Amino acid sequence: LALAAIILLTGTAYLNSMSAPFVLDDAVTVVKNQEVRSMSVLQDISLSPLSRSLTAASYGLNVWYGGLSVESFHVVNIAIHLLNVILVYWLCRKLALSSWATVVTASLFALHPIQTESVTYITGRAEMLAVTFVLLGLIAFHRESFWKWPVIFICGWLALLAKPTGIYLPVLLAGFMVFHYGMVRAIPFLAAGVLGGLWIGSRFFWTIPLSFETAVNWIGLQSVVFYKYLFLFIWPSQSFDWGPID
């Protein structure tokens, strides 16, 4: 009953975003992306962790079903967010949190204003899809089954195909390993996350050649963004009204 109420409140909260236009990077990822518009992304899905091919394929399915109707894109974004809310609730139960703690955690995840960007911004779907598979991987970790490790690996790779930031799954698993089994058994997962992140970062800079100064500035910008989002999580006081793309 509590989960149903959270889902209902969350869906209602985002109903007014259904007519929000494509903005910012939506021009590159969707509107002017010929691979998405021609739906070729559904025929040639790359397995490269830098490709975001899973996210692109989801855009292709949107175009196949409803063309470039922005409402259909918003429906999928909201549906993914609601799915993630259910997964957060499920994970909390797996962690044996109290009913009160589970409801508070799921509600905060569902309705915190910082989620607005990912849910209402079509390009934000990449983050949400990555979170979907990270959560599924964490839930699988807490199941006693031989198949949980293959499932976790698949979830991790799908998270990467949604957005490379999905590489944080092994780091989260390392945290759980420390809690359940101690630091020694957590080291391989922590190493996988750190080395994977370094590899993805190196591939990014290799694909888009940058000068040393530009790379340093980019890293500095990411640090500023991190602290900005941390502040907004604690005190969500900032809002923007982006106009539609041309």
Side-chain angles (χ1 to χ4, degrees), residues 91 95 138 141-142 171-182 186:
L91 178 60
L95 294 174
L138 294 177
F141 174 79
H142 288 88
V171 178
L172 295 178
L173 289 174
F176 284 117
M177 290 295 287
V178 169
F179 181 77
H180 289 290
Y181 306 110

Side-chain angles (χ1 to χ4, degrees), residues 72-83:
S72 73
F73 283 85
H74 283 301
V75 166
V76 174
N77 271 30
I78 293 172
I80 294 171
H81 182 55
L82 294 179
L83 172 60

Side-chain angles (χ1 to χ4, degrees), residues 101-124:
T102 297
V103 169
V104 169
T105 302
S107 299
L108 186 63
F109 178 88
L111 294 166
H112 195 288
I114 204 170
Q115 295 280 27
T116 304
E117 179 180 342
S118 294
V119 180
T120 63
Y121 179 31
I122 303 305
T123 301

Side-chain angles (χ1 to χ4, degrees), residues 17-18 20-23 25-27 29-31 55 58-59 62 69-78 80 116-129:
S17 70
M18 291 293 291
F22 292 111
V23 296
D25 288 350
D26 293 343
T29 56
V30 179
V31 179
T55 303
S58 75
Y59 295 144
N62 263 126
S69 167
V70 73
E71 288 82 4
S72 73
F73 283 85
H74 283 301
V75 166
V76 174
N77 271 30
I78 293 172
I80 294 171
T116 304
E117 179 180 342
S118 294
V119 180
T120 63
Y121 179 31
I122 303 305
T123 301
R125 183 181 300 180
E127 287 88 353
M128 292 195 296
L129 275 177

